[in-house]
Each structure stands twice: as C-alpha cells, then as structure tokens.
Amino acid sequence: MLEILQSLRLTLLNTGYAKLNALWDFDNVISPFTRMYYITKGAAKVYHNNQVFDLKPNHIYIVPSYTYARYTCDDYHEQYYISFLEDINNGLSIYSIKDFVYEIEADQHCLYYFERLLELNKNRKIKNSNPKTYDNRPTLQDFIKQNNTLNTKELLETQGILTTLLSKFITNHKLNKGLGSPNKAIHNIQNYINENLHAPITIDELANKCHYSNDYFSKLFYKTHGIRPNKYIQIKRIERAQLLLLTTSSSLKEIAQKVGFENLAYFSRTFKKHTKKTPAAFRKEQVTI
C-alpha cells in the first residue's frame, strides 16, 4: 500500500475564489478531475454518491473524479475552489483503493492552504462557472500546461498543499476489503459505466474495452468488486435514479431513460427490487421528510 500511495500524482487545473448566485445550477456533471470547495459565506447544495451535502461556511467539500454530481444555489454563496487530476500506479485512482469522507469542518490551517494555493497560482481562475465551458479535453490540456510556468519551488509547494488537503478526507478504511487488488482496466471500466448509465451497456462491450475475453473480464470484475458486472451496472443505475428523484423534477419516464431503462414498468420493478419502494413512493417519502 505504501508503494502505491508514494506514486500518487496530483496535477492542479484551477483554483480561485468565486461569488455565486442562483445561476450556479448544474446537473449531470461528471468530470475527470476532483473538485474541492472551501465555503466562506452563504449556502448551497451538492449532490453526489447518493448523498446531499449542504454547503456551509468553514467547511470543506470534495467531489471525486468521474462522479455524477448536481450543484444548486438558491440564493448566494462564496467559495474557494480547487480542481485537480489525481492518479496512482499507472493510471489508477486513489478513490479505488481508499475510502473517503466528502465533508469536513475546516481546521485552523485550511483557509491558509486555499489562500496560499491561489497566491501561488494567480492565473488559474475559472472564467465561467458553467462546467460545459471548461470540462472538455482541449481546455483541460491548456490548464495542465500552465503548471509548466511554475518554478520548482512553486510547483513543489503547490503539490504539497494539494496532498495535504486531499489527505484530510481519507479514512483509515480500505475499499474492496478482502477482494482483489485494484486493476487499472477495471477502474477505467467503472468510469465508463458511470459516464454511460443512460445507454445500453453489454458485457461484450466492456470486455472488448479491456481486451479481455468475456469470461476473464467477468471473473476479474467479480474478484475486484465481489459482484457480477451486470449486477454492478444495475445497482449504479438505481443509485443514479435515486439521486435524480431526489434532486430533479424530471418525470419518472425521463428519469428511467436517463439511467438506461426504456421501459418504465421494468424500471419501476427493478427500482422496487433494490429499494423496497416504487420510484414514486421513494420521491414522495423524500419530499415529506
């Protein structure tokens, strides 16, 4: 484990300070990088990993890479923000080997770290808060190239601050406890599944992406996750549906289609199988809580 963690690479993309209002309202955001926020004023919400996070002043929040998320602000809030790429051991993600919390109360040093990172990287602000304007490969490559403008001292300090802040969210629990070692191909497949839950996904397709036979891919996936690929996909579809039911006003039919179910009746049966409630009952129960 130590050898794997020593290979951790963090690459800064953006950092800045933003004053945001109700226009900060974005759905279906799945980014290839980690987002981190330090809230200083106001309130907002972030939805991801089947949880709702009320953004509060003097708290820090993290949204892992390749995670479906929704962002809303009813009125106004201010935040320091950071976005960065992370990988370990030839392309794996630290999120595949360690467990994380996504919200922490800031300690006495956190504000200094965010301010210092911004001081070191003054020209890394996001000009438009809409992810569609910057969450694309050409723009990300331009952000990455800006690291070449840092001198050695600035680069090392930037990486040190990112590592320190990221470490605050890691728990002592390992993911995939008792299962197989992380595998880059399987990790990439997880990302692919998360990005394509709205579309048909077959075992043939996933195995081909790894250049494995169907049988070997299924066995390796089971060794890593403890469940078969089809069941994993179904669970992820239902988790995404729960989040959409909770955070959007989309119809049941629209939500079913967004998570890969063309047949509403089949979606409802599958949802009830996993949650013991119909989609309509789940949404009504959450609204009345």
Side-chain angles (χ1 to χ4, degrees):
M1 178 60 70
L2 179 60
E3 181 179 350
I4 293 176
L5 291 178
Q6 286 175 335
S7 71
L8 175 65
R9 293 178 294 275
L10 303 179
T11 303
L12 179 69
L13 297 173
N14 305 105
T15 184
Y17 188 81
K19 300 178 180 180
L20 301 164
N21 55 26
L23 294 177
W24 198 68
D25 187 354
F26 308 109
D27 191 12
N28 197 35
V29 179
I30 306 176
S31 301
F33 51 82
T34 296
R35 301 172 187 270
M36 191 180 295
Y37 303 110
Y38 183 114
I39 309 302
T40 59
K41 296 180 181 179
K45 292 181 183 293
V46 172
Y47 310 82
H48 68 89
N49 281 286
N50 210 32
Q51 299 178 62
V52 182
F53 298 93
D54 292 301
L55 305 189
K56 303 181 290 289
N58 301 316
H59 284 69
I60 309 178
Y61 301 85
I62 193 169
V63 182
S65 56
Y66 293 103
T67 299
Y68 169 88
R70 182 167 186 243
Y71 305 83
T72 65
C73 178
D74 292 334
D75 184 22
Y76 179 81
H77 81 284
E78 297 183 18
Q79 60 169 246
Y80 284 95
Y81 61 85
I82 302 170
S83 61
F84 58 92
L85 297 170
E86 52 75 34
D87 67 275
I88 53 174
N89 199 20
N90 296 323
L92 283 174
S93 167
I94 193 170
Y95 301 112
S96 67
I97 65 168
K98 296 296 294 183
D99 207 356
F100 280 72
V101 294
Y102 306 117
E103 175 185 21
I104 60 172
E105 186 172 0
D107 61 33
Q108 59 181 335
H109 304 295
C110 289
L111 180 57
Y112 167 77
Y113 290 138
F114 277 82
E115 291 176 336
R116 179 59 179 161
L117 194 65
L118 182 54
E119 184 181 356
L120 289 167
N121 301 272
K122 296 178 180 178
N123 299 315
R124 309 293 283 274
K125 299 180 180 66
I126 295 174
K127 296 180 180 179
N128 186 327
S129 61
N130 188 336
K132 292 182 180 179
T133 66
Y134 63 85
D135 195 353
N136 55 75
R137 184 174 179 82
T139 306
L140 293 182
Q141 289 299 320
D142 288 339
F143 292 153
I144 292 171
K145 289 177 182 177
Q146 292 186 48
N147 288 292
N148 296 331
T149 65
L150 299 176
N151 61 41
T152 301
K153 180 181 181 299
E154 293 168 337
L155 181 62
L156 289 176
E157 187 174 356
T158 291
Q159 292 176 341
I161 291 173
L162 290 176
T163 302
T164 299
L165 289 172
L166 181 63
S167 70
K168 294 180 180 296
F169 294 89
I170 300 176
T171 73
N172 290 323
H173 306 293
K174 295 180 183 178
L175 292 178
N176 300 328
K177 190 179 297 182
L179 303 178
S181 300
N183 177 284
K184 180 184 177 182
I186 296 299
H187 172 70
N188 290 339
I189 287 299
Q190 287 177 253
N191 294 339
Y192 179 82
I193 290 171
N194 286 337
E195 291 181 298
N196 292 277
L197 289 174
H198 62 283
I201 303 174
T202 67
I203 302 304
D204 281 346
E205 177 187 7
L206 299 181
N208 286 337
K209 285 184 174 297
C210 298
H211 305 290
Y212 296 152
S213 69
N214 286 16
D215 185 56
Y216 180 75
F217 168 77
S218 295
K219 288 180 179 178
L220 183 59
F221 194 97
Y222 183 83
K223 181 180 179 182
T224 303
H225 291 286
I227 56 176
R228 299 298 178 188
N230 279 332
K231 186 174 181 180
Y232 178 90
I233 294 168
Q234 193 173 85
I235 288 172
K236 291 301 175 183
R237 292 190 197 278
I238 298 305
E239 287 179 353
R240 178 72 55 81
Q242 287 177 294
L243 191 56
L244 293 172
L245 286 165
L246 179 63
T247 64
T248 75
S249 58
S250 299
S251 69
L252 298 185
K253 183 177 180 180
E254 289 171 333
I255 290 175
Q257 291 174 342
K258 286 180 179 180
V259 297
F261 291 89
E262 291 299 325
N263 185 293
L264 180 57
Y266 179 55
F267 165 64
S268 296
R269 289 197 304 271
T270 305
F271 189 95
K272 187 173 182 179
K273 177 182 175 182
H274 284 272
T275 68
K276 311 302 180 186
K277 301 180 182 72
T278 65
F282 175 85
R283 170 176 269 173
K284 183 178 180 180
E285 179 181 280
Q286 297 300 317
V287 169
T288 57
I289 289 178

